Amino acid sequence: MLNFQLSMPTRILFGRGEVEKAGAEAAKMAGKVLLVTGRTATRKTGVLQRVINSLETAGVEVVVFDKIEPNPRTHTVDEGGRIAREEGCELIIGLGGGSPMDAAKAIAAVALSGHPSHEYIAGNQTGRWRELLPVQEALPIMTIPTLAATGSEANNGGVLTHEETKEKGGFSGPALFPKVTIIDPELTFTVSPEYTADGAVDMFTHLYEAYLTGADDALVQDHLTEGLIRAAVENGPIAVQEPTHYEARAALMWASTLALIGLTGAGRGGSFPMHQMEHTLSAFYDISHGRGLAILAPAYFKRVAVDRPDRLARMGRNCFGVTELDDKVAAEKTIDAVIAWFKSMNVYLKLSDLGIEREMLATMAEESVRVGGRGQAFIPATRELDVKEVLAIYEESF
Ligand code: NZQ
Ligand code: ZN
């Protein structure tokens, strides 16, 4: 196990009906808040109004900013930052999936700094991210997730898309840990089967990225990771079939939070190649993040099966019921088992199914390595994924 430092400062309120505590929690920190949310879902499901009522009952003044698109754009974040500054908001609340929560974090940073948010994207061509990251100052943040996927609710990172340059990338820093998150699994009852499946794939990917690329002598982390993967594998299909199954929704919600809170990756190192490759697809074609990850996984796993068959075999045996003893054979069987799981949630697809054009693959491979490589000519993984290799993965996923 490698040495590590771990900070998990976000206070977590978890469970049925906890969303009603939003007002009381916010009132401890602020008299006026910016409530950042998406364009449709939270209004349609009534949760936006519930949160506004809770805040107002607690005497908190609310400014609603409901313009966040999936794969949030930097110009929308900049507008939110301007409003937060002009209105004198003291707390930024992100209500929704990863997109509104990430946007809330970025708004909390730019409201103070006044910098355009695209400069915070790691790998951005301006190079300013080298000075701006890690983010050390931001307004206080609170999150209320309505979708189990990203783990953004309790981590200190986010992802933005700069539309003009098609750069999609991460930003992070200690100031971006939410002070508190209210995780009420019932808020996810209304998530569609498609986004439920995408979310399960996203948390699965957060778990296997470092597990497959990092140190293999982090035994506690292996057990934690495998337990959380099993939670996603078992409960994803249940929630897809039965959207109001509370225990399945609660398991997915808690697993997604724990999957990207630093816990399973600490002491292991490793990298996030699948995320680098997927973010470029979402930047160019605005596809769902989890869906893109599902599509790329089989081609990526084929490389892992060659480079580190022992790790893929271990995941197959401990999470997908693979019984084969030979590592190389077990690694191949793991790929089949993952595909079967994707099929059980109707998320086994190809890039061509999402309207992506073959002639754009080469451009996207170059962009993916440029942004994801952060100055290197490759994305680190179980091997160095250079432009040629990323293009091959895109082609095989087409
Ligand atoms: O558009 P709105 O109206 O908000 O509706 C959303 C959206 O259409 C809808 N939705 C959310 N909660 C719902 C619901 N519909 C019905 N009932 C509910 N309760 O679902 C759609 C997807 O929402 P979005 O927030 O985009 O999804 P997700 O949570 O998957 O977030 C994706 C974003 O997070 C980034 C991704 O790159 C992407 O931009 N990520 C953030 C991470 C982080 N901060 O740590 C890590 C991840 O790896 C990821 O990269
Ligand atoms: Zn992800």
Side-chain angles (χ1 to χ4, degrees):
M1 199 184 298
L2 306 172
N3 294 10
F4 65 87
Q5 292 186 12
L6 179 61
S7 172
M8 298 189 291
T10 301
R11 200 157 59 82
I12 297 172
L13 278 63
F14 188 100
R16 267 196 174 114
E18 290 294 305
V19 66
E20 300 301 339
K21 297 184 180 152
E25 288 297 326
K28 293 179 195 167
M29 292 182 272
K32 188 171 185 180
V33 303
L34 186 74
L35 180 51
V36 178
T37 193
R39 295 178 297 192
T40 321
T42 59
R43 197 174 287 284
K44 209 165 131 191
T45 59
V47 67
L48 175 61
Q49 197 53 53
R50 279 175 77 191
V51 171
I52 292 172
N53 292 348
S54 172
L55 290 163
E56 289 181 346
T57 304
V60 177
E61 201 182 331
V62 189
V63 179
V64 175
F65 185 63
D66 59 355
K67 294 190 179 173
I68 306 302
E69 52 283 270
N71 299 315
R73 311 294 194 275
T74 49
H75 65 79
T76 314
V77 163
D78 294 338
E79 185 186 344
R82 205 165 46 244
I83 294 171
R85 219 171 19 249
E86 285 166 8
E87 294 278 352
C89 297
E90 298 150 318
L91 171 72
I92 311 295
I93 303 180
L95 169 68
S99 297
M101 292 190 287
D102 286 1
K105 291 174 182 173
I107 287 171
V110 301
L112 275 193
S113 74
H115 285 294
S117 59
H118 77 260
E119 294 185 349
Y120 284 84
I121 296 175
N124 178 271
Q125 57 193 5
T126 65
R128 293 296 306 279
W129 54 279
R130 292 182 198 280
E131 300 150 41
L132 296 172
L133 301 180
V135 180
Q136 302 289 354
E137 279 187 328
L139 289 174
I141 298 156
M142 175 170 158
T143 53
I144 308 175
T146 63
L147 198 163
T150 63
S152 182
E153 56 272 14
N155 67 36
N156 71 347
V159 184
L160 293 180
T161 300
H162 186 212
E163 223 163 6
E164 285 77 359
T165 57
K166 302 270 188 234
E167 288 168 311
K168 180 173 183 182
F171 60 95
S172 62
L176 301 179
F177 276 113
K179 301 283 180 229
V180 60
T181 181
I182 302 182
I183 306 177
D184 185 335
E186 284 188 343
L187 302 187
T188 66
F189 282 180
T190 52
V191 177
S192 68
E194 291 79 12
Y195 279 117
T196 301
D198 296 353
V201 174
D202 191 21
M203 65 186 87
F204 167 53
T205 313
H206 296 159
L207 291 159
Y208 78 64
E209 291 262 45
Y211 180 93
L212 296 177
T213 57
D216 62 3
D217 56 359
L219 297 182
V220 174
Q221 291 84 334
D222 276 350
H223 290 305
L224 287 169
T225 305
E226 288 158 3
L228 292 169
I229 290 178
R230 284 202 297 275
V233 170
E234 287 162 15
N235 292 288
I238 297 174
V240 165
Q241 298 291 330
E242 216 182 311
T244 57
H245 192 300
Y246 181 79
E247 289 306 329
R249 290 295 195 184
L252 289 175
M253 197 72 251
W254 189 219
S256 63
T257 306
L258 290 173
L260 207 57
I261 202 170
L263 189 65
T264 57
R268 188 195 281 294
S271 57
F272 267 61
M274 282 289 293
H275 275 70
Q276 305 298 354
M277 290 189 284
E278 195 294 314
H279 282 161
T280 308
L281 302 180
S282 287
F284 276 71
Y285 284 95
D286 205 17
I287 64 170
S288 155
H289 171 59
R291 198 141 285 231
L293 293 171
I295 292 172
L296 297 178
Y300 172 63
F301 285 160
K302 275 192 193 145
R303 274 86 185 153
V304 181
V306 173
D307 303 336
R308 294 186 79 182
D310 54 320
R311 295 301 294 170
L312 202 54
R314 182 180 165 128
M315 183 173 85
R317 292 187 192 113
N318 294 344
C319 309
F320 289 92
V322 172
T323 52
E324 175 63 47
L325 294 179
D326 178 82
D327 277 353
K328 284 205 163 70
V329 181
E332 291 299 332
K333 287 197 184 298
T334 302
I335 301 176
D336 296 340
V338 171
I339 290 174
W341 179 55
F342 288 172
K343 283 184 178 164
S344 76
M345 299 189 295
N346 302 315
V347 74
Y348 180 59
L349 297 161
K350 293 287 178 186
L351 293 177
S352 48
D353 294 324
L354 303 189
I356 288 173
E357 299 138 299
R358 181 162 240 149
E359 56 271 25
M360 286 305 291
L361 298 184
T363 307
M364 292 195 292
E366 272 177 35
E367 277 301 290
S368 182
V369 174
R370 184 178 68 75
V371 180
R374 299 184 190 181
Q376 295 175 304
F378 60 89
I379 298 169
T382 53
R383 65 181 72 179
E384 293 181 354
L385 300 174
D386 59 12
V387 174
K388 205 166 137 242
E389 195 80 30
V390 172
L391 179 57
I393 290 173
Y394 285 167
E395 292 276 4
E396 288 164 38
S397 310
F398 192 78

